[in-house]
Amino acid sequence: MRRKSALEEKGITHIVSVLKYDFKDFEHWEQYQHLSIEVDDVDDENLLVEFERTGKFIEKGLKSEKDGKKGGVLVHW
């Protein structure tokens, strides 16, 4: 995520982050729609409760358009 050009090349408009992290230090963060799922990196973390919300967010991102191009979604953990 640190290379802005890589996100632009892939047409990323939406980002799903599945981790506990403060993204305030990233430049140009405001140009992306962002969904943050704050979870601990442990075996028994229940991610199933987040599926509906993340699914809707991803669907919205893929249906979006920016500069006449379809949106793209980056999911990282």
Side-chain angles (χ1 to χ4, degrees), residues 17 23 27 32 36 38 47-50 53 60-62 66 68 70 73 76:
S17 302
F23 292 93
E27 293 182 31
Y32 303 99
S36 180
E38 293 189 4
L47 296 176
L48 293 175
V49 299
E50 302 294 345
R53 183 165 66 134
K60 178 182 172 185
L62 294 175
K66 183 177 179 181
K70 286 249 181 205
V73 181
H76 71 97

Side-chain angles (χ1 to χ4, degrees), residues 41-52:
D41 189 11
V42 295
D43 291 338
D44 61 347
E45 186 71 60
N46 183 6
L47 296 176
L48 293 175
V49 299
E50 302 294 345
F51 278 13
E52 184 174 349

Side-chain angles (χ1 to χ4, degrees), residues 9-32:
E9 289 170 11
K10 299 296 182 188
I12 300 299
T13 55
H14 292 64
I15 299 174
V16 178
S17 302
V18 186
L19 62 140
K20 286 185 179 179
Y21 189 80
D22 187 355
F23 292 93
K24 68 178 179 184
D25 293 333
F26 282 90
E27 293 182 31
H28 310 289
W29 192 246
E30 67 281 350
Q31 76 185 52
Y32 303 99

